[in-house]
């Protein structure tokens, strides 16, 4: 297996993605993921729509979950943590990668707790990078079964950065008007 690198995550996942979620083969919903350019002014965590993301590295989606992501050099893993409005949390750690039939496949594990009173659930996770604009993310566990997200890029990282800058400018203009 090839060594996992931070460059893979920083270079590939930037931008906006439309994901189609299925559970055990049955369609659940669609979700939009926004992953700003790593280490730029807008990357890090993103709260709900309309709020500005602080500096750092990470991404956010439209389910009101907050994600923080980054490279752990000591264990050579890309780690993602998230929190939701119900007191739930989770952590995914990507541990290795390899090329299978011309596709990059990333392997890892995940622990999540849907809400504050739940017991944590452990999952096996896999991400297949199908091409520059498509990936398939799979979560498998005894409790959850098989959840898959097939995603396609709907906006490049540069375009997402431009849109977020426009939002910032509009917020600053509105703030100036209120003064």
């Amino acid at each position: 297996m090839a060594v996992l690198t931070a460059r893979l995550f920083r270079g590939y996942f930037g931008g906006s993605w439309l994901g189609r979620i299925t559970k055990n083969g049955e369609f659940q919903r669609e979700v939009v993921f926004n992953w700003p350019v790593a280490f730029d002014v807008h990357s890090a965590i993103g709260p709900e729509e309309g709020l500005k993301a602080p500096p750092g590295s990470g991404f956010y989606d439209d389910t009101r979950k907050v994600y923080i992501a980054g490279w752990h050099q000591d264990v050579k893993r890309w780690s993602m943590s998230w929190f939701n409005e119900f007191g739930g949390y989770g952590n995914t750690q990507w541990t290795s990668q390899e090329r299978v039939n011309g596709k990059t496949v990333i392997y890892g594990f995940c622990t999540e707790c849907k809400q504050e009173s739940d017991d944590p659930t452990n999952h096996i996770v896999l991400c297949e990078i199908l091409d520059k604009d498509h990936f398939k993310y799979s979560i498998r566990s005894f409790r959850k079964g098989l959840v898959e997200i097939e995603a396609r890029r709907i906006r490049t990282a540069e375009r997402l950065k431009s849109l977020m800058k426009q939002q910032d400018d509009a917020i600053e203009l509105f703030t100036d008007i209120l003064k």
Side-chain angles (χ1 to χ4, degrees):
M1 283 210 188
V3 174
L4 190 64
T5 63
R7 183 177 307 172
L8 171 69
F9 293 91
R10 291 183 181 136
Y12 178 76
F13 290 100
S16 297
W17 300 83
L18 176 63
R20 179 179 162 77
I21 301 173
T22 60
K23 183 174 182 180
N24 298 320
E26 185 178 316
F27 175 76
Q28 300 293 305
R29 63 186 171 93
E30 288 187 335
V31 65
V32 173
F33 296 97
N34 292 298
W35 192 323
V37 177
F39 304 111
D40 195 48
V41 69
H42 294 292
S43 65
I45 60 175
E48 60 196 77
E49 186 175 323
L51 297 180
K52 183 177 175 180
S57 177
F59 66 99
Y60 61 96
D61 68 22
D62 62 0
T63 63
R64 296 180 181 228
K65 286 186 179 176
V66 176
Y67 293 83
I68 304 165
W71 182 248
H72 287 234
Q73 180 61 33
D74 57 336
V75 289
K76 300 220 182 301
R77 292 181 182 169
W78 187 268
S79 181
M80 302 181 323
S81 298
W82 63 91
F83 309 91
N84 65 29
E85 67 271 26
F86 307 113
Y89 63 90
N91 178 272
T92 298
Q93 292 195 33
W94 297 103
T95 58
S96 61
Q97 73 182 57
E98 70 178 332
R99 295 284 292 172
V100 177
N101 297 326
K103 295 182 274 189
T104 299
V105 180
I106 310 166
Y107 302 95
F109 60 90
C110 171
T111 301
E112 75 171 332
C113 182
K114 291 280 191 189
Q115 57 187 9
E116 194 172 1
S117 61
D118 290 349
D119 290 332
T121 303
N122 295 314
H123 311 285
I124 297 169
V125 293
L126 170 106
C127 183
E128 299 172 86
I129 297 176
L130 306 174
D131 61 36
K132 70 180 188 76
D133 291 322
H134 296 89
F135 71 85
K136 183 177 181 180
Y137 175 77
S138 303
I139 306 166
R140 186 181 304 268
S141 68
F142 178 71
R143 184 181 289 176
K144 198 172 219 170
L146 176 63
V147 175
E148 295 177 306
I149 303 172
E150 291 191 37
R152 68 177 171 82
R153 189 184 314 269
I154 57 174
R155 190 176 297 120
T156 65
E158 292 77 24
R159 179 68 181 132
L160 177 59
K161 179 180 175 179
S162 172
L163 289 172
M164 294 177 90
K165 170 100 175 80
Q166 288 173 4
Q167 286 179 343
D168 274 357
D169 293 345
I171 289 169
E172 288 173 14
L173 179 62
F174 182 72
T175 305
D176 290 342
I177 291 170
L178 292 176
K179 288 181 181 178

